[in-house]
Amino acid sequence: MDMHEYLGLMQDVFAVALVFVFPLIDLPAMQHLKRFSSTAARLALYRRSVLATSVFVIIALAIAPLDTLLIIARSHTDAPWLDRHSVISMAASALIALLFAWVLWPSIQCVFRKRIRKAYLEAYLASLVRFMLPVSRQERRWWVLLSLSGGIGEELLYRGFLLQYFRGQLIGGPGTGLIWAWVLSSLAFGLGHVYQGKRGVLETTTAGAVFGMLAILSGGLALPILMHILIDLRILLVYNPAQDDPQRAAPLISGFNPQVR
């Protein structure tokens, strides 16, 4: 086996690990947090997640060219329905812009209207993901790092490596073409959030499809990375129980059972 074949094999193994192993790394900690969540437990999860994502990104960069991961170039045969019909391309771009505006608008409102933030606090305290949301000041600092890690790392892994792997732009890969690669990488992104349950997998698969289409339309990962980071960081603007309701924040910090409402 020559170096070229060896590199292709490494990409094959890494793609399998990214789809089936990467989602399992945080799963035990997530299951524990669903039973008992505290500042200490959440910080441990944040640190583990940042470390795991960093390791996978380093491996991806070691076995695949950076420009191939960052640039999603397409030919006229990859998505003719986009390139031949400017109306469809413009409509897709406008729809994606509206989706991001809809997701980010509440966080913008919360900057100027504290009353709205308190309303969102109630919603997040009743949500299925409250077990992992940051409460203390230290958690909120780590959430920034987690958002950067997720935004940069997950885009490089799913919209960079995996999308390019599936479409055949790397040495390994089945060569499915751009659209099927977009679909498969979006499904893998949803699977990567299996800890959120069936609804969470469906929602993150949809989010992955939106990020993937943004990468295809813009020709690279710059915009998906930026939007991914902003969407993760928005939590800090809409959810701040330590400031908005210290009495209710105290048990969230010391420890609580998320299954008890």
Side-chain angles (χ1 to χ4, degrees):
M1 181 181 294
D2 60 24
M3 192 62 184
H4 188 270
E5 293 174 329
Y6 182 66
L7 184 59
L9 178 60
M10 287 194 294
Q11 292 175 353
D12 292 336
V13 172
F14 182 73
V16 172
L18 182 56
V19 174
F20 297 107
V21 178
F22 187 61
L24 300 179
I25 294 175
D26 288 336
L27 191 57
M30 290 292 186
Q31 292 174 334
H32 173 74
L33 278 180
K34 288 180 180 180
R35 295 188 297 270
F36 183 81
S37 182
S38 66
T39 286
R42 290 189 295 272
L43 285 173
L45 171 69
Y46 299 166
R47 291 164 181 151
R48 185 185 298 109
S49 181
V50 169
L51 176 61
T53 302
S54 299
V55 169
F56 268 74
V57 167
I58 290 171
I59 296 173
L61 294 176
I63 63 176
L66 178 59
D67 59 341
T68 303
L69 302 186
L70 289 176
I71 301 173
I72 312 298
R74 70 177 192 267
S75 66
H76 65 280
T77 59
D78 283 323
W81 52 276
L82 275 177
D83 295 319
R84 295 176 186 174
H85 305 284
S86 59
V87 174
I88 295 178
S89 180
M90 291 173 61
S93 300
L95 178 60
I96 290 174
L98 287 173
L99 283 172
F100 282 123
W102 176 67
V103 172
L104 293 174
W105 176 243
S107 58
I108 297 173
Q109 285 183 301
C110 288
V111 173
F112 303 102
R113 300 174 66 183
K114 191 174 181 179
R115 183 180 301 177
I116 293 180
R117 191 173 74 187
K118 289 186 176 181
Y120 278 106
L121 173 62
E122 296 296 328
Y124 276 106
L125 287 176
S127 72
L128 296 176
V129 295
R130 65 174 181 154
F131 66 90
M132 62 174 291
L133 297 178
V135 181
S136 69
R137 185 173 299 177
Q138 186 179 11
E139 289 176 74
R140 291 170 66 82
R141 288 197 294 266
W142 267 93
W143 190 268
V144 173
L145 185 58
L146 187 68
S147 299
L148 293 172
S149 171
I152 297 171
E154 289 183 352
E155 292 307 312
L156 281 171
L157 293 173
Y158 289 100
R159 259 65 65 185
F161 182 91
L162 211 54
L163 188 147
Q164 298 288 52
Y165 172 82
F166 282 132
R167 71 182 292 209
Q169 293 295 104
L170 300 176
I171 296 173
T176 63
L178 180 60
I179 300 305
W180 272 110
W182 168 59
V183 172
L184 292 173
S185 61
S186 301
L187 290 172
F189 183 67
L191 182 63
H193 296 76
V194 66
Y195 61 86
Q196 295 184 17
K198 293 180 180 179
R199 179 179 174 181
V201 170
L202 178 61
E203 290 177 350
T204 50
T205 298
T206 303
V210 174
F211 285 129
M213 185 52 62
L214 180 59
I216 292 171
L217 290 170
S218 64
L221 297 190
L223 279 179
I225 286 174
L226 174 62
M227 297 311 299
H228 195 147
I229 291 172
L230 290 177
I231 286 176
D232 287 350
L233 285 176
R234 84 189 194 283
I235 295 297
L236 298 179
L237 296 177
V238 300
Y239 181 78
N240 192 354
Q243 184 177 103
D244 295 335
D245 197 337
Q247 186 174 356
R248 297 176 71 182
L252 301 179
I253 294 173
S254 60
F256 72 103
N257 183 352
Q259 296 176 350
V260 177
R261 298 293 176 175

